[in-house]
Structures are given as C-alpha cells and as structure tokens.
Amino acid sequence: MRCQSGVEMEEASRTRASFSRRVLNGLLLCSGDMDHLDKYMKDKSFVLQLAVCGLRGVTRVILANNPLSGGLILTALYWASPWQGLLGTLGVLASTLTAVITGQDSVEVAGGHHGFNGMLVSLLMGVYSSAGDWYWWLLLPVFLGSATCVFLFSGLSSFLDHWDLPAAVFPFNIIIILYLLCTCPEHPYFPHHSVKPPGALEPNATELIALQVIRGIPLGVGQIFACGDLGPSLLILGAVFLYSPLLAVHALLGSTVGTLTGLSMAVRHESLYSGLSGFNGALGCMAVGGFFIFSLWTHLFAIASAFFSAYADIALSNLMGTVGLPACSWAATLVATLMLLLTGSLAAYRIPIGQVRAPERNLQLRSQWEAGNTEERESADV
Amino acid sequence: MRCQSGVEMEEASRTRASFSRRVLNGLLLCSGDMDHLDKYMKDKSFVLQLAVCGLRGVTRVILANNPLSGGLILTALYWASPWQGLLGTLGVLASTLTAVITGQDSVEVAGGHHGFNGMLVSLLMGVYSSAGDWYWWLLLPVFLGSATCVFLFSGLSSFLDHWDLPAAVFPFNIIIILYLLCTCPEHPYFPHHSVKPPGALEPNATELIALQVIRGIPLGVGQIFACGDLGPSLLILGAVFLYSPLLAVHALLGSTVGTLTGLSMAVRHESLYSGLSGFNGALGCMAVGGFFIFSLWTHLFAIASAFFSAYADIALSNLMGTVGLPACSWAATLVATLMLLLTGSLAAYRIPIGQVRAPERNLQLRSQWEAGNTEERESADV
Amino acid sequence: MRCQSGVEMEEASRTRASFSRRVLNGLLLCSGDMDHLDKYMKDKSFVLQLAVCGLRGVTRVILANNPLSGGLILTALYWASPWQGLLGTLGVLASTLTAVITGQDSVEVAGGHHGFNGMLVSLLMGVYSSAGDWYWWLLLPVFLGSATCVFLFSGLSSFLDHWDLPAAVFPFNIIIILYLLCTCPEHPYFPHHSVKPPGALEPNATELIALQVIRGIPLGVGQIFACGDLGPSLLILGAVFLYSPLLAVHALLGSTVGTLTGLSMAVRHESLYSGLSGFNGALGCMAVGGFFIFSLWTHLFAIASAFFSAYADIALSNLMGTVGLPACSWAATLVATLMLLLTGSLAAYRIPIGQVRAPERNLQLRSQWEAGNTEERESADV
C-alpha cells in the first residue's frame, strides 16, 4: 500500500511538474527572440508579416526583438495617449514599407531593423508638436521623416559596418533634430514646444521630493518611448521583462544611475521627476547589457556606461538647449558606440552584431560553447 | 532622267546629312568629358595645360568636367561681376598650383579635382565680404583659403576612400566656415555680412509674388556659383547643358524641388526670390543624376535626394544662422554622401567614383556592357 | 722628448675627449626615448613602474616620451601652482590605473599612452574652476574624467586605427567640453570661469606692447599644460629640449607662428600676452615635426600646419565662445590628424605611428636605412 501510494504521489507530482513545465515552456516560447515564429510566418500573408516585423521593430528601440513585447509596448502607448499610439504605429509602418520599396535586405526588414527609427521620429514629432493632438497635418512630416530614416539607416550601416557597429538610433536622432530645426517654435504650419536645458537655474526652487524622484526611475524607462505616465511606463518595463528579465534589470539600474547623476549635477527638479534624467542612463546600461555576454565584469562596465551616458546627456542637453533643441538619445547612442569599440577586457565579452540575441540566450550559447571547449580539452588531455 | 535626278537628290540629301552630321559631331566633340582633349594637350605648354585643368576645375563644382563649359561659367561670372570673376579665377589657379607644388596625383590635378574647392572658397569670400569690390587685401585670405583646400581635399580623400566616397565640396564648406568664424562681422581687416537664417520671421511680410518665385528656379542653378543674376545664371545652366542635357534637367528639377520645399516650410520670401532655397536641391538632385546610371528608379531617388537636401539645408541654415553663419552647401554634400552609401536597389545603379563620366556616356557604357552580357548569354545558350 | 710629450699630450687630449664623451653619453642616455630604461625597469616594483609610465605619460602631451622630461614638466607645474601640480599628478595616475584595471594593452600602458589625456583633463578642470585652489570636491570630477579618458582613448584608437591615426588628445578635448557643459558657470558644486572668445571686441583697447607679445611666445609652450608663468614655461621648453632639441625648435617656431596669426586676425591683446594664441600653433608644428622625418620639405609643411592650426583655433574659439566654451586644442588635433592623412609629397616622409621616436632618432634610422639601401644597390651594381 505504502509503495502504491508512493507511486501515486510520484505520478501526481509528475503531472504537476509536467503542467508547470508546460506553462513555463509556453512562457519561454513567448520570451526571448521568438525565432520559431519566423518559420511559422513564412507562408503567411504580407499584411500579417508586416504586422509581425512592425512589432519586432517597436521592440528594437529597447534592444529587444519580440513581437509580443512590441504589442505590449504599443498597448502602453495607446493607453498613455491614443494619438501618440497612432503616430507610433504609422511611423513604424511608414519606415518598414519604405524599406521594402527601396529594396533593403529582406532579413533586416523582417527583423524589424527598419522600423524603430521611424517610430521614434513619429513619437517625438508628436510630443514636441504644440498644435495639440489630432492635428492631421502632422502626418505629413511623420511620413516623410519616417521614410527618410530608412535612407539614413542604410547609409550609416554601410559606413559603420567596417567596425561592426550598428546604426542604432542615430537616424532618429538626426532626423528629429533636422525637423525641429526646420520648424521654429512659432512656425505657421508645424509649431513646436521649445526645450529648456536641464541645467537652467530655477528662479524659485522648491524642496526636492524624494518620492517623486523615485517615481522618476520607472518613468525613465517609459521616456525611451517619450511616455511620461507611470502605468504605461510599468507596462513597457513589463514588455522588456517578457523579452529578457536581465535586460529589464539593466533598464531599471540604468535609470537609477541616471537619476543619481542628475542629483549630483543639480539639474532642474522637473527633469528628475519626469524621468528625462534617467532614460539615457537606462539606454546606455541596456546597450552594454545587450551587446555583451553577461558577467560581473560586463555588469560593472554597464554601470560605468550608464554613468557616462547620463553625464554626457546633461552636457549635450545644456549645449543643444542653447538653441532650443533636445539632446534626445544622442548621449546613450554615442556612448554605446564607444563601448562597442573598446579594446581590453570588455572586448572579450563582445558578441558580433549579427549574432546578438536576448542576454539569457547569449549567456546560454556562451556556456554551451565553453562547455564544448572544456570537453574537447579534456578529451584531448586523455 | 528621273533616275539621275533621283541620284542627284540623293546626293544633295547626303551632302546635307553629312553636313548636319559634321555639325552634330562638332557639337558632340565639345560636349561630354572631352577625353580626346587630353591626348591633344599632352605636349602643350604648362600654361595651356594649367588653363585647361583650371577650366575643368570650374565645372567640377556642378559635377561636370568640360573645359568649354568652364569657359562659359567663367564668362557668366565676369558678366555678373568682374571682381567675382577675378576672385574665382585666382581661387582656381591658386589651389591648382598648390596641388602641383605639394605633389598631388597628376591625373587628379589634370582632371581639375583640386581647383573647384578653391574657386568656391574665393567666390564666397567675395560675396560675404562687406568691404566692397576691388578690396585688394581680400586676396590674402583668398590665396590662403584656396591653398588650404588642397590639404583638406587630399586628407579627406584618404579618409573617405575606404567607402569609395568623394571628398566633394567638403573642403570648401569647412574653409569658408572657418574663415567667417575667424573674422567677426565688424572685423577691422576683413569685415563681412552677417547671415540671416531663412526661417527668421519677417516683421512686415508681404504677399508672395509667383513670378519672382519662378524666377528663383534658374537663379538656384546660378547660386551654386554664388551668382544671383538671371542672365549669368541662364548661361551657367547653358554650360551644364553643353556638358550633359540630362544633368541640366536634373539641375532645374532640383532647383524646383528646393523652391517647393522652401514654400512648404514658409521660409523668408527673400530666400525664395534669390534662388538660395533652390541651390541645395539642385546639387542634391545632380549628385544622384551624376553618380548613378540614369533610369526611372534613379530619377525617383534623385527627386528624393533633392527634397532631403533642401529640407536639410533649411534646418542647417536655421542652426548656423544662430551664430551668423551660412549653411553653404553642407546639406547637399552630406545628403549626396549618404546616397552614395545607400544599400538596396539604388546601389545597383552606382558607378565607381573613378569611372564617372557625363550621364549620357554612363548610360551608353551601361547599354554596351549589358548588350555584351546579353550576347554572351545568347551565345552561351546556343 | 718631443715624441714623449706628444704622446702625453695625446693621452691628455684622449682623457679629456673620453671625459667629454662620457658626459655627452650620459646626456644622450637621458635624452630621446630612453628605451634602455624599459629593460632596466622590467623586474622593478609596480609602484616604480607606475611612476615611470606616469612620467612618460606626462611628456606624451608634447609628443615626447622621456621620464626625465616628465619629471621636469611636473616640477614646472608644481612651481607654477602646487594645486595644479597635484591635480596633474592625480590625473595621470588615475587614468593610468584605470587603463591597468580595464585590461588595456600593457605595452601601451607602459609607454604612457593612457596617462596624458587624464592629466590634461585634470589640469584644465583646475584652471577653469572658479572655486579657488584646494577645493577638494574637485577631485571627484578629476578622478571620473581621467578614468573616462581611457574609455575614449581605447574606443577612438579602434576607430582611427584603420587609417593608422593616433587618438591623440581627442579624449581630453571631448571630456573637458562635456565637463564644462555639464556644469554651468554658476553651478552650486562645480562653478567655473566663463570663456571669452579671442575675437571679442575690446571696449577700450590700448596700444599693443611688443615686449609682452614676444613674452607670449615661450608662454605658448607652457599653455600646452595650461601654465601661464614665464619661469615654468621655460622649464617645460627645457624639458622638450632634453627629449629632442629639434622638437623644441618646432615648439618655439609654432608658437611664434601662432602669435603672428593672432596679430593678423587682430585678436584680443590678452590672448596674445598669455600665450593662448600660440599654443595651438606650437602643437600643430610639433605634430608635423614629430610624426614625419625631418627635412626642408617637412619643415615647410610644419610651418603650414602651424598657420592652419592657429587660424582654425581662432575660428573654433569664436564659435565655441558663443556658448562660453574654450576651443582647447581641438584645432591642432584636427589639423595634425589631417596632415597625417595627406597624400602627395608629405606622405613620403611619414613614419608609421607605432615606430615614431624622437625626431633625431627618426632621422638617424632613416639615414641608416637609406645608406643600407644605397649599399645594397651598389653591391648589386658590382
């Protein structure tokens, strides 16, 4: 009897284990790069393929590559503001379609590489526009700007390819600055808000509210998509977590570093509260976390990169603020590019740009590879 | 009798045909790159060789390479202002001679590659100088600036060579900006006009005059040589037509696109009337028309390039106008460089920099090459 | 007797000759790159090795590589201001240690390549700080800035390696600009002096004092280390002379050219008197003198480089002065990079970056190599 009961219990526990394993497998299927989806999508209609590569493009902004995360992020944007959500959707579609029309590499297009810059341009055009929501004329620069991103991405990729560097969000940063320069704040067709540098002195400075500053940390992750509400920002953080928990940790850590940097340089309180101090730090931290194999050493470099990005952002914001321009993510993009060029101990952990996956997967591939190496060495020793 | 008369008529028509063919041949000899002249010039005196490579240099500004066109352009400049004509002549000579002295590649020198930047620098120094015509001290910076262009051209060529990119008019753009920065508007020795950004609001804006705007389109071609009169501008356009009718069409088209862009961004009327809105568009359009084999596809890209150049010019002019600087042809040069880096369907039409000829000749060489390919394939099939 | 006396005299003269030879040899041992020291240092303690490579780093600023010169320069800095001397020492140590920790190439570290940018950043932070000497909080940015220089040096080296270009003082120029941008002049923690552009008009201009202008020439050499006192500047010049008399001549010549340039552009008298007009010219002249084999031809190019550096410095200072920033040594660094890219007759004299020694040694190696070539040719002829 006891024996039977033991067998039963074992079976029950097996069933439970298999159930939880199935749930876990399901979750794992939705997590990471979802390569298995590509095979499934091959014979589907063009519209469905476009949707998936658009959603992949949405996540490329945060160095992720997962259509479900993309869906979550789009939901967050529509939640924060339906107009912004619409602009983002149109931007990603416009630039992906331009890439298809101008005959860009189809693997790159399918991977969403041509969507994320267009999306960011559209979102930022919407945020800086002072003509209010649902100002339909704005779709004109949104379409033009998003389409031009493809040209810049393709040209810059050719240029940077020699050093195995990605074009990253350089196209977005260039196009949004050109757009804001084209249109002065009081422009008759496309007016926009003027930008106040973070170092500007406040006439009647109040006490710093600690809770607001802490609230700014998750907002820093949302500000990557120009989203300044807490709920949607947390949803965006959740989308990063779905792709890779490790990347989400880097995002939060980087945003914290960015906020600390802002405190150390006594920037305007507004900048700390809104998360604008944090988002360059978050991007700089995620870039090292994403493009290098995770290790204690890499982690220290990621923190250094976050600090450097955040300080450079304050500097560039002060510089560009003198002509009323925002620094966007210039700082993080430049610092990330620098980190990828680094020689020395960090270079040993670098993954070639074409082989970058979710950090967990990178780690696994490395372990397998190293295990293989050890085995080989052992068998050679024998 | 009838037969004889028929023979006579045939002969007469033959004579006429041969005469018109000879005229056409004569015109064709003067058109295009005039490679045949090089053989003829080989044993001529140094002064004559210098004159020819100087005239070739004059046309390099508009991506042409024809000494007769160069002569026409110089005539146009002397017509518009003898002082400007003199400055242009001195500039092209100074930089060509510097190239000879510093031992630059003789084929490049003979092709006029070292003349055009010096010429532009001299012309622009003359235009921006507020000391009036025939201010002889200006020859000092004109000589120095033109000579320095050779250094920049040589250095930048080494740098850009890796991507098979030309140094283009980057040297001119750099030197003229450095010169204007060196001398503030109220400089005791070299005073210059301050530049007003095109996006500056006009206090008492008047109605836009359509005829003036249309007049600005050919002026846009003249503004490439800093020439703002209609007659000389048309002569310059004629010089482009002599080199290559296709390039002339691109020039006019680009200038039109630039003017449209200016209208869409509501720039100052002055900017539209003077052709300053158009010349970056014209250059951007000509660059794609000149560096790529002509086709419907390339033509669309040329228009896109014109739009992008013109918008970027407005943006850069507004930015540089905040410190009183002109944007020169930075926009068109950067956009043209970007187009040359592009991957995708446009890249298939790209001609290696060393093999670029007049667009018509490029087209012909391509047809020959393709015909040869087809024949080969056919013979292989048989 | 006569014979004996002759022998005695010969012996005495031999003794004298051998003595003066020994002194000369001793001096020669202390001069140049002191490669023999490296062998001697191999088994010494880490602290001693760090000191030597730190001192080598100090001299890298002026394209020298000699620990004794480094000692002299540090002495000069402590003489001018103990606080500045301390900052310089900490800067060079901080960045050298960061290079060791981040695993940079040990040969490069030993050669002092990772020290000089950190030192310059620290010195300039001290000079621009308006909080007065012995403001200990300044050590925070000094450490951070010096450490970041290593990242920039490593990344830029990877980038520029393709053209065999050195990262030179680009890292210093970038970091100091970012630091000054981060902190506005009235910053609560790190206030700094605002910079006045050299082209700014003086309200009550006085007569130019010739003696003061001449005094500015040696000061121009001292200003490379942000040192504005005559005594220490002369000591720094002496340190350059110890490394290489030829380089010292180039330094003085370049500073003279820079001062002439300043006169020709009518810059503020202050700029001429303090040596700030001269130091970019000096650096530009030394760069060509140091990276190319000495000859009449190279010498002319060195003077051209000095002129170009000095003019570019005035231009950049005027530009960056509009936002209250100094131009540092951007002009000289950019011009030197350009000179290294040059094709034509100068390129024949260029020494590969890894093989650059003291100019005298370069000349000697070239002569030996050429003599070898001639001998070979002669033996081949026989």
Side-chain angles (χ1 to χ4, degrees), chain C residues 214-271:
Chain C
I214 292 167
R215 192 173 161 274
I217 293 174
L219 283 181
V221 181
Q223 285 289 3
I224 297 175
F225 289 93
C227 166
D229 296 322
L230 192 58
S233 290
L234 288 173
L235 191 54
I236 289 172
L237 191 60
V240 183
F241 193 86
L242 176 66
Y243 172 68
S244 153
L246 218 53
L247 205 60
V249 171
H250 274 96
L252 265 186
L253 188 72
S255 190
T256 314
V257 166
T259 306
L260 285 176
T261 306
L263 284 171
S264 81
M265 279 289 128
V267 301
R268 287 187 305 118
H269 296 175
E270 193 53 47
S271 196

Side-chain angles (χ1 to χ4, degrees), chain B residues 91 94-96 98-99 102 118 141-152 175:
Chain B
S95 61
T96 305
T98 310
T102 59
V142 157
F143 278 121
L144 266 177
S146 302
T148 318
C149 279
V150 174
F151 288 66
L152 275 167
I175 293 292

Side-chain angles (χ1 to χ4, degrees), chain A residues 200-259:
Chain A
L201 288 179
E202 285 164 304
N204 42 3
T206 50
E207 273 293 291
L208 197 68
I209 305 158
L211 213 71
Q212 289 267 54
V213 175
I214 292 167
R215 193 172 160 274
I217 294 175
L219 282 182
V221 181
Q223 285 289 3
I224 298 175
F225 289 93
C227 165
D229 295 323
L230 191 59
S233 291
L234 288 173
L235 191 54
I236 289 172
L237 192 61
V240 183
F241 192 86
L242 175 66
Y243 173 68
S244 152
L246 218 53
L247 205 62
V249 171
H250 276 96
L252 265 186
L253 188 72
S255 188
T256 314
V257 166
T259 305

Side-chain angles (χ1 to χ4, degrees), chain A residues 157-232:
Chain A
S157 293
S158 297
F159 187 82
L160 295 168
D161 192 50
H162 176 65
W163 298 273
D164 194 28
L165 291 172
V169 283
F170 279 121
F172 147 66
N173 282 307
I174 294 169
I175 293 290
I176 193 72
I177 291 299
L178 287 180
Y179 167 72
L180 291 177
L181 278 172
C182 260
T183 62
C184 49
E186 305 87 13
H187 197 270
Y189 311 150
F190 307 111
H192 63 78
H193 300 293
S194 197
V195 177
K196 222 174 161 186
L201 288 179
E202 285 164 304
N204 42 3
T206 50
E207 273 293 291
L208 197 68
I209 305 158
L211 213 71
Q212 289 267 54
V213 175
I214 292 167
R215 193 172 160 274
I217 294 175
L219 282 182
V221 181
Q223 285 289 3
I224 298 175
F225 289 93
C227 165
D229 295 323
L230 191 59

